[in-house]
PDB file of all heavy atoms in Angstrom:
ATOM      1  N   LEU A   6      13.382  24.545  -3.462  1.00 86.00           N
ATOM      2  CA  LEU A   6      11.969  24.597  -3.850  1.00 86.00           C
ATOM      3  C   LEU A   6      11.250  23.303  -3.485  1.00 86.00           C
ATOM      4  O   LEU A   6      10.158  23.314  -2.918  1.00 86.00           O
ATOM      5  CB  LEU A   6      11.847  24.842  -5.360  1.00 86.00           C
ATOM      6  CG  LEU A   6      12.096  26.281  -5.808  1.00 86.00           C
ATOM      7  CD1 LEU A   6      11.997  26.380  -7.317  1.00 86.00           C
ATOM      8  CD2 LEU A   6      11.091  27.214  -5.155  1.00 86.00           C
ATOM      9  N   LEU A  11       7.598  20.326   0.056  1.00 89.00           N
ATOM     10  CA  LEU A  11       7.406  19.165   0.920  1.00 89.00           C
ATOM     11  C   LEU A  11       7.101  19.628   2.348  1.00 89.00           C
ATOM     12  O   LEU A  11       6.194  19.127   3.010  1.00 89.00           O
ATOM     13  CB  LEU A  11       8.675  18.306   0.897  1.00 89.00           C
ATOM     14  CG  LEU A  11       8.625  16.976   1.611  1.00 89.00           C
ATOM     15  CD1 LEU A  11       7.578  16.086   0.977  1.00 89.00           C
ATOM     16  CD2 LEU A  11       9.979  16.299   1.586  1.00 89.00           C
ATOM     17  N   GLY A  13       5.819  22.473   3.222  1.00 88.00           N
ATOM     18  CA  GLY A  13       4.489  23.052   3.266  1.00 88.00           C
ATOM     19  C   GLY A  13       3.432  21.974   3.430  1.00 88.00           C
ATOM     20  O   GLY A  13       2.479  22.110   4.200  1.00 88.00           O
ATOM     21  N   MET A  14       3.658  20.858   2.734  1.00 89.00           N
ATOM     22  CA  MET A  14       2.718  19.747   2.840  1.00 89.00           C
ATOM     23  C   MET A  14       2.730  19.183   4.259  1.00 89.00           C
ATOM     24  O   MET A  14       1.688  18.887   4.831  1.00 89.00           O
ATOM     25  CB  MET A  14       3.114  18.668   1.837  1.00 89.00           C
ATOM     26  CG  MET A  14       2.187  17.503   1.808  1.00 89.00           C
ATOM     27  SD  MET A  14       2.822  16.219   0.717  1.00 89.00           S
ATOM     28  CE  MET A  14       3.608  15.126   1.864  1.00 89.00           C
ATOM     29  N   ILE A  18      -0.338  19.046   6.870  1.00 90.00           N
ATOM     30  CA  ILE A  18      -0.801  17.815   7.502  1.00 90.00           C
ATOM     31  C   ILE A  18      -0.933  18.006   9.009  1.00 90.00           C
ATOM     32  O   ILE A  18      -1.849  17.498   9.633  1.00 90.00           O
ATOM     33  CB  ILE A  18       0.193  16.660   7.218  1.00 90.00           C
ATOM     34  CG1 ILE A  18       0.166  16.272   5.751  1.00 90.00           C
ATOM     35  CG2 ILE A  18      -0.134  15.443   8.070  1.00 90.00           C
ATOM     36  CD1 ILE A  18       1.222  15.244   5.386  1.00 90.00           C
ATOM     37  N   VAL A  41      -7.011  10.401   5.282  1.00 95.00           N
ATOM     38  CA  VAL A  41      -7.199   9.468   4.170  1.00 95.00           C
ATOM     39  C   VAL A  41      -8.675   9.436   3.747  1.00 95.00           C
ATOM     40  O   VAL A  41      -8.988   9.344   2.555  1.00 95.00           O
ATOM     41  CB  VAL A  41      -6.699   8.064   4.555  1.00 95.00           C
ATOM     42  CG1 VAL A  41      -6.972   7.081   3.436  1.00 95.00           C
ATOM     43  CG2 VAL A  41      -5.211   8.095   4.860  1.00 95.00           C
ATOM     44  N   ALA A  42      -9.569   9.560   4.727  1.00 95.00           N
ATOM     45  CA  ALA A  42     -10.999   9.565   4.390  1.00 95.00           C
ATOM     46  C   ALA A  42     -11.314  10.740   3.471  1.00 95.00           C
ATOM     47  O   ALA A  42     -12.061  10.604   2.497  1.00 95.00           O
ATOM     48  CB  ALA A  42     -11.842   9.641   5.662  1.00 95.00           C
ATOM     49  N   GLY A  53     -15.998   9.829  -9.835  1.00 84.00           N
ATOM     50  CA  GLY A  53     -17.405   9.467 -10.004  1.00 84.00           C
ATOM     51  C   GLY A  53     -18.236  10.617 -10.542  1.00 84.00           C
ATOM     52  O   GLY A  53     -19.171  10.419 -11.312  1.00 84.00           O
ATOM     53  N   ALA A  75     -19.504  17.029  15.788  1.00 94.00           N
ATOM     54  CA  ALA A  75     -20.422  16.039  16.347  1.00 94.00           C
ATOM     55  C   ALA A  75     -19.651  14.983  17.129  1.00 94.00           C
ATOM     56  O   ALA A  75     -20.062  14.560  18.216  1.00 94.00           O
ATOM     57  CB  ALA A  75     -21.229  15.389  15.223  1.00 94.00           C
ATOM     58  N   ALA A  93      -5.031  13.240  32.331  1.00 83.00           N
ATOM     59  CA  ALA A  93      -5.916  12.074  32.299  1.00 83.00           C
ATOM     60  C   ALA A  93      -6.710  12.066  31.005  1.00 83.00           C
ATOM     61  O   ALA A  93      -6.915  11.029  30.375  1.00 83.00           O
ATOM     62  CB  ALA A  93      -6.853  12.099  33.501  1.00 83.00           C
ATOM     63  N   VAL A 109     -12.903   3.939  11.580  1.00 92.00           N
ATOM     64  CA  VAL A 109     -12.805   4.715  10.336  1.00 92.00           C
ATOM     65  C   VAL A 109     -12.104   3.885   9.258  1.00 92.00           C
ATOM     66  O   VAL A 109     -12.533   3.822   8.104  1.00 92.00           O
ATOM     67  CB  VAL A 109     -12.053   6.044  10.574  1.00 92.00           C
ATOM     68  CG1 VAL A 109     -11.914   6.816   9.265  1.00 92.00           C
ATOM     69  CG2 VAL A 109     -12.779   6.888  11.595  1.00 92.00           C
ATOM     70  N   LEU A 140       2.270  21.528 -10.603  1.00 88.00           N
ATOM     71  CA  LEU A 140       1.321  22.569 -10.204  1.00 88.00           C
ATOM     72  C   LEU A 140       0.536  22.165  -8.954  1.00 88.00           C
ATOM     73  O   LEU A 140       0.301  22.972  -8.063  1.00 88.00           O
ATOM     74  CB  LEU A 140       0.368  22.862 -11.367  1.00 88.00           C
ATOM     75  CG  LEU A 140      -0.661  23.965 -11.121  1.00 88.00           C
ATOM     76  CD1 LEU A 140       0.012  25.259 -10.717  1.00 88.00           C
ATOM     77  CD2 LEU A 140      -1.513  24.189 -12.363  1.00 88.00           C
ATOM     78  N   ASN A 141       0.178  20.862  -8.869  1.00 87.00           N
ATOM     79  CA  ASN A 141      -0.645  20.457  -7.713  1.00 87.00           C
ATOM     80  C   ASN A 141       0.120  20.595  -6.396  1.00 87.00           C
ATOM     81  O   ASN A 141      -0.426  21.004  -5.385  1.00 87.00           O
ATOM     82  CB  ASN A 141      -1.208  19.046  -7.886  1.00 87.00           C
ATOM     83  CG  ASN A 141      -0.191  18.041  -8.332  1.00 87.00           C
ATOM     84  OD1 ASN A 141       1.004  18.203  -8.077  1.00 87.00           O
ATOM     85  ND2 ASN A 141      -0.646  16.980  -8.997  1.00 87.00           N
ATOM     86  N   ALA A 149      -1.263  25.888   1.942  1.00 82.00           N
ATOM     87  CA  ALA A 149      -0.783  25.654   3.302  1.00 82.00           C
ATOM     88  C   ALA A 149      -0.346  26.970   3.915  1.00 82.00           C
ATOM     89  O   ALA A 149      -0.675  27.276   5.073  1.00 82.00           O
ATOM     90  CB  ALA A 149       0.370  24.657   3.299  1.00 82.00           C
ATOM     91  N   VAL A 151      -1.255  30.040   2.960  1.00 89.00           N
ATOM     92  CA  VAL A 151      -2.407  30.931   3.128  1.00 89.00           C
ATOM     93  C   VAL A 151      -3.225  30.520   4.356  1.00 89.00           C
ATOM     94  O   VAL A 151      -3.568  31.346   5.204  1.00 89.00           O
ATOM     95  CB  VAL A 151      -3.291  30.902   1.862  1.00 89.00           C
ATOM     96  CG1 VAL A 151      -4.606  31.595   2.109  1.00 89.00           C
ATOM     97  CG2 VAL A 151      -2.545  31.552   0.710  1.00 89.00           C
ATOM     98  N   ALA A 171      -6.350  31.009  24.837  1.00 87.00           N
ATOM     99  CA  ALA A 171      -6.440  30.994  26.297  1.00 87.00           C
ATOM    100  C   ALA A 171      -6.715  29.577  26.800  1.00 87.00           C
ATOM    101  O   ALA A 171      -6.111  29.115  27.768  1.00 87.00           O
ATOM    102  CB  ALA A 171      -7.548  31.940  26.753  1.00 87.00           C
ATOM    103  N   PHE A 211      -1.593  14.255  -5.424  1.00 89.00           N
ATOM    104  CA  PHE A 211      -0.266  13.812  -5.868  1.00 89.00           C
ATOM    105  C   PHE A 211       0.322  12.641  -5.099  1.00 89.00           C
ATOM    106  O   PHE A 211       1.359  12.123  -5.476  1.00 89.00           O
ATOM    107  CB  PHE A 211       0.734  14.973  -5.885  1.00 89.00           C
ATOM    108  CG  PHE A 211       0.783  15.768  -4.608  1.00 89.00           C
ATOM    109  CD1 PHE A 211       1.583  15.365  -3.569  1.00 89.00           C
ATOM    110  CD2 PHE A 211       0.033  16.917  -4.489  1.00 89.00           C
ATOM    111  CE1 PHE A 211       1.625  16.109  -2.399  1.00 89.00           C
ATOM    112  CE2 PHE A 211       0.073  17.659  -3.327  1.00 89.00           C
ATOM    113  CZ  PHE A 211       0.873  17.262  -2.279  1.00 89.00           C
ATOM    114  N   LEU A 212      -0.322  12.183  -4.029  1.00 89.00           N
ATOM    115  CA  LEU A 212       0.222  11.016  -3.333  1.00 89.00           C
ATOM    116  C   LEU A 212      -0.692   9.821  -3.535  1.00 89.00           C
ATOM    117  O   LEU A 212      -1.907   9.973  -3.622  1.00 89.00           O
ATOM    118  CB  LEU A 212       0.352  11.283  -1.833  1.00 89.00           C
ATOM    119  CG  LEU A 212       1.584  12.031  -1.329  1.00 89.00           C
ATOM    120  CD1 LEU A 212       1.644  11.912   0.184  1.00 89.00           C
ATOM    121  CD2 LEU A 212       2.868  11.522  -1.932  1.00 89.00           C
ATOM    122  N   ILE A 229       5.751  16.699  13.927  1.00 92.00           N
ATOM    123  CA  ILE A 229       5.790  18.125  13.629  1.00 92.00           C
ATOM    124  C   ILE A 229       5.152  18.937  14.748  1.00 92.00           C
ATOM    125  O   ILE A 229       5.673  19.967  15.167  1.00 92.00           O
ATOM    126  CB  ILE A 229       5.092  18.397  12.284  1.00 92.00           C
ATOM    127  CG1 ILE A 229       5.911  17.736  11.172  1.00 92.00           C
ATOM    128  CG2 ILE A 229       4.942  19.878  12.029  1.00 92.00           C
ATOM    129  CD1 ILE A 229       5.169  17.577   9.882  1.00 92.00           C
ATOM    130  N   PHE A 269      14.729  12.404  12.173  1.00 89.00           N
ATOM    131  CA  PHE A 269      14.703  12.065  13.597  1.00 89.00           C
ATOM    132  C   PHE A 269      15.811  12.774  14.360  1.00 89.00           C
ATOM    133  O   PHE A 269      15.618  13.173  15.513  1.00 89.00           O
ATOM    134  CB  PHE A 269      14.766  10.551  13.784  1.00 89.00           C
ATOM    135  CG  PHE A 269      13.445   9.902  13.510  1.00 89.00           C
ATOM    136  CD1 PHE A 269      13.233   9.128  12.398  1.00 89.00           C
ATOM    137  CD2 PHE A 269      12.369  10.128  14.369  1.00 89.00           C
ATOM    138  CE1 PHE A 269      12.001   8.570  12.135  1.00 89.00           C
ATOM    139  CE2 PHE A 269      11.121   9.582  14.112  1.00 89.00           C
ATOM    140  CZ  PHE A 269      10.941   8.794  12.984  1.00 89.00           C
ATOM    141  N   LEU A 276      14.239  18.737  20.591  1.00 87.00           N
ATOM    142  CA  LEU A 276      13.706  18.375  21.905  1.00 87.00           C
ATOM    143  C   LEU A 276      14.771  18.480  22.994  1.00 87.00           C
ATOM    144  O   LEU A 276      14.460  18.780  24.144  1.00 87.00           O
ATOM    145  CB  LEU A 276      13.119  16.969  21.878  1.00 87.00           C
ATOM    146  CG  LEU A 276      11.791  16.838  21.145  1.00 87.00           C
ATOM    147  CD1 LEU A 276      11.145  15.502  21.434  1.00 87.00           C
ATOM    148  CD2 LEU A 276      10.830  17.957  21.511  1.00 87.00           C
TER     149      LEU A 276
END
Side-chain angles (χ1 to χ4, degrees):
Chain A
L6 283 178
L11 187 62
M14 183 186 98
I18 291 174
V41 177
V109 178
L140 182 56
N141 47 26
V151 169
F211 51 86
L212 277 192
I229 294 163
F269 283 109
L276 287 193

